[in-house]
Amino acid sequence: MISRRQFSQALAVAGVAAPLTATATAHASTPAWGEIKQVRAGLLNIGYAEMGPKTGPVTVLLHGWPYDIHSYVDVAPALAAQGHRVLIPYLRGYGPTRFLHAHTMRNGQQSALAADVIAFMDALGIRQATVAGFDWGARTACITAALWPQRVRALVSVSGYLVVNLRQNQEPLNPQAELGWWYQYYFATERGVKGYTQNSYEFNKLIWKLASPRWEFDESTYAQSATAWKNPDHVAIVIHNYRWRLQLAEGEHRYDGLERELQAKPVISVPTITIASDFDGANSDGAAYRAQFTGRYEHRVLDGIGHNVPQEAPEAFTRAVLDASR
């Protein structure tokens, strides 16, 4: 395991700034990426931030729920300083990303989000990219690497191999582990839909605190991300995502072929670094998913860090992206 001090020293040697330590209070800053761009890609008009030289190796950074592109406010400029062209799209249901047609199903299933990434790359004329993420973003990055390996130069995934196997997902966990997924069961009810619609600001702040109990983010940092949840499709995408995982909601037939491949638990052959943190608990050693990665591989453990790794430990996340894509 590489310590946070070693990460910081390595980044300093490489010329990468490490502005936020694991124990520091996070303060909102003006994002260095400036104006948000838009591109029509597949079913969506995707809002995204871009940094770095146009000719550099491309890195696509994917956020999770309930977060947004500001999770990469420190990682993106550090990668750009190392010559990477950094792209940070808002997922469907977040920020300025919009569906092109009102009748399109507001679908949050896993393969739909990964298909969005490929459509995004196609729209920008990108043949290959390093993909990196956490939470929904890690799952999406894993699926992209598993199903379209020719499009992925390297992968960085927080919490490892997160592809949802619907059959296995019906098996109960121990009571303590089930307690951690309380919000998924809440979202399975109409009361949960109303509650999340009415209280998303307070609800998501609670998730931030539970998922990252040592992260001392301030109100301005949180409010900066919270604007992304005002998207008119946000609630529908979140609810469908979690109901689909529990087989309480159908997906779309257009993704049936992709889902059949994913239910077979495809291995990931591209160069990969997985990151575990305190959030992963007993699975932090990565043993449970090691066999799913067949290419060049490394697993790193960050003690004292919660779920939002790129914002809590940006220097470690940046180092992982640089090392995976070398």
Side-chain angles (χ1 to χ4, degrees):
M1 187 186 87
I2 299 177
S3 70
R4 291 191 296 277
R5 176 175 294 179
Q6 289 171 314
F7 271 126
S8 298
Q9 290 172 341
L11 290 173
V13 170
V16 180
L20 184 62
T21 66
T23 57
T25 299
H27 297 285
S29 58
T30 301
W33 49 69
E35 183 180 359
I36 297 299
K37 301 179 179 181
Q38 299 283 149
V39 63
R40 291 169 66 97
L43 303 175
L44 304 169
N45 186 340
I46 295 177
Y48 68 101
E50 180 172 1
M51 294 190 69
K54 290 283 189 181
T55 57
V58 179
T59 295
V60 177
L61 301 175
L62 301 169
H63 68 83
W65 172 85
Y67 306 94
D68 82 323
I69 68 171
H70 291 92
S71 290
Y72 297 104
V73 68
D74 295 303
V75 170
L79 289 174
Q82 291 299 301
H84 283 236
R85 181 186 179 189
V86 185
L87 302 169
I88 321 164
Y90 282 94
L91 301 184
R92 52 170 62 194
Y94 293 79
T97 292
R98 296 289 188 274
F99 285 88
L100 295 176
H101 300 291
H103 65 268
T104 303
M105 177 181 174
R106 272 41 178 174
N107 180 357
Q109 75 183 101
Q110 59 181 1
S111 57
L113 273 69
D116 291 344
V117 174
I118 295 300
F120 176 67
M121 292 173 61
D122 287 345
L124 294 178
I126 296 168
R127 183 182 65 83
Q128 193 178 57
T130 294
V131 290
F134 72 106
D135 196 77
W136 287 22
R139 177 173 296 105
T140 303
C142 283
I143 293 170
T144 305
L147 299 185
W148 294 278
Q150 73 279 9
R151 305 297 300 274
V152 177
R153 178 181 180 183
L155 167 69
V156 174
S157 176
V158 174
S159 299
Y161 188 88
L162 293 178
V163 178
V164 174
N165 181 283
L166 293 175
R167 180 183 58 80
Q168 290 183 350
N169 209 44
Q170 291 298 305
E171 295 300 317
L173 304 174
N174 67 67
Q176 187 63 39
E178 294 283 23
L179 179 63
W181 303 120
W182 63 273
Y183 56 88
Q184 296 195 27
Y185 308 129
Y186 182 64
F187 288 158
T189 68
E190 289 309 301
R191 174 172 173 166
V193 176
K194 293 178 181 178
Y196 189 58
T197 302
Q198 295 173 14
N199 305 305
S200 60
Y201 193 92
E202 295 81 6
F203 192 101
N204 290 342
K205 183 183 285 188
L206 174 62
I207 297 295
W208 277 35
K209 291 178 179 178
L210 293 174
S212 302
R214 300 190 189 187
W215 185 35
E216 298 177 2
F217 61 88
D218 65 12
E219 184 63 29
S220 59
T221 296
Y222 178 74
Q224 196 172 50
S225 288
T227 60
W229 312 321
K230 295 179 181 179
N231 183 296
D233 302 310
H234 179 72
V235 172
I237 293 296
V238 171
I239 296 301
H240 184 265
N241 178 285
Y242 288 109
R243 289 186 176 184
W244 177 86
R245 295 191 207 184
L246 295 173
Q247 298 188 50
L248 299 175
E250 297 290 330
E252 287 183 273
H253 290 309
R254 74 175 81 208
Y255 302 112
D256 285 352
L258 299 179
E259 289 299 340
R260 280 193 294 271
E261 293 185 63
L262 294 175
Q263 298 317 300
K265 300 178 66 174
V267 297
I268 293 174
S269 60
V270 306
T272 298
I273 293 177
T274 54
I275 298 174
S277 66
D278 290 357
F279 179 85
D280 298 291
N283 291 323
S284 63
D285 64 0
Y289 47 76
R290 175 62 186 90
Q292 296 302 126
F293 300 96
T294 60
R296 174 166 59 86
Y297 177 78
E298 183 181 350
H299 181 67
R300 298 177 179 179
V301 181
L302 304 181
D303 295 321
I305 299 299
H307 195 38
N308 185 358
V309 171
Q311 205 161 1
E312 294 180 67
E315 69 283 358
F317 195 90
T318 301
R319 184 74 265 165
V321 172
L322 293 173
D323 288 347
S325 59
R326 70 175 184 270

